[in-house]
């Protein structure tokens, strides 16, 4: 499942990027949901390409890494969760920030891949995935604009 979520934020690109790149502070602006609890930075150094983090979710810990870091225009994350029989659930999230006057147009590109045998489950999870992504971009807008 692959989809874009877009939002306009009335703040400069640099302000939006600062919030997105501070993964260890996501809990300050992104309240827990029935999926997501918090994000923890696994590396002690400043965030950059290759930095490791862990998304703490209900029932799972999803390790991830920053795979795109092009301040202040793009940042991307990818996560993999090992599943039975050597398969993996894969998630990729990429943000593109486009200056729009004094504000920023944000595109959150989300890719969710289940192992072949579990792909029919995407139909059951589709609404939950869409709702969670919409919740995240709305929370990001509120956080950056406040």
């Amino acid at each position: 499942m692959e989809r874009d979520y877009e939002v306009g934020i009335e703040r400069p690109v640099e302000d939006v990027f600062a919030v997105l790149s501070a993964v260890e502070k996501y809990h300050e602006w992104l309240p827990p949901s029935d999926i997501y609890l918090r994000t923890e930075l696994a590396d002690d150094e400043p965030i950059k390409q290759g930095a490791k983090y862990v998304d703490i979710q209900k029932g799972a810990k999803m390790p991830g890494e920053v795979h795109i870091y092009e301040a202040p225009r793009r940042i991307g994350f990818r996560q993999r969760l090992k599943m039975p029989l050597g398969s993996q659930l894969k998630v990729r999230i990429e943000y593109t920030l486009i200056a729009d006057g004094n504000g920023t147009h944000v595109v959150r590109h989300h890719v969710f891949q289940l192992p072949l045998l579990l792909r029919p489950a995407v139909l059951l999870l589709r609404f939950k995935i869409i709702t969670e992504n919409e919740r995240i971009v709305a929370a990001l807008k509120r956080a950056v604009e406040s």
Side-chain angles (χ1 to χ4, degrees):
M1 180 177 163
E2 187 168 353
R3 188 171 174 160
D4 287 345
Y5 302 85
E6 301 184 37
V7 67
I9 297 179
E10 295 301 318
R11 298 292 296 167
V13 168
E14 294 79 9
D15 292 358
V16 179
F17 190 86
V19 170
L20 288 171
S21 62
V23 297
E24 73 283 3
K25 295 182 180 179
Y26 278 21
H27 67 279
E28 294 176 6
W29 61 268
L30 185 58
S33 69
D34 61 342
I35 297 174
Y36 172 84
L37 296 176
R38 68 185 179 281
T39 301
E40 296 175 356
L41 193 55
D43 294 334
D44 290 335
E45 52 194 80
I47 194 153
K48 61 183 179 186
Q49 189 164 339
K52 308 283 189 227
Y53 66 92
V54 177
D55 263 1
I56 310 299
Q57 302 177 356
K58 292 193 177 174
K61 289 184 178 182
M62 272 191 90
E65 73 171 338
V66 176
H67 78 105
I68 298 171
Y69 190 88
E70 299 170 7
R73 304 274 183 231
R74 292 184 67 221
I75 190 165
F77 309 93
R78 69 177 161 216
Q79 301 167 290
R80 294 170 192 250
L81 180 64
K82 292 181 181 180
M83 302 186 77
L85 303 174
S87 61
Q88 293 183 353
L89 178 147
K90 298 177 185 177
V91 177
R92 195 174 77 239
I93 301 159
E94 297 169 357
Y95 288 94
T96 302
L97 311 178
I98 304 159
D100 185 13
N102 293 329
T104 304
H105 181 79
V106 178
V107 178
R108 175 184 164 96
H109 182 72
H110 182 260
V111 179
F112 181 84
Q113 295 176 312
L114 280 172
L116 188 59
L117 292 173
L118 297 176
R119 290 214 178 129
V122 169
L123 297 174
L124 300 172
L125 297 171
R126 184 176 177 80
F127 178 75
K128 192 170 270 212
I129 293 167
I130 291 170
T131 301
E132 183 68 6
N133 277 279
E134 290 172 344
R135 180 185 85 87
I136 292 167
V137 295
L140 175 65
K141 178 179 176 67
R142 282 190 305 274
V144 178
E145 289 182 347
S146 63

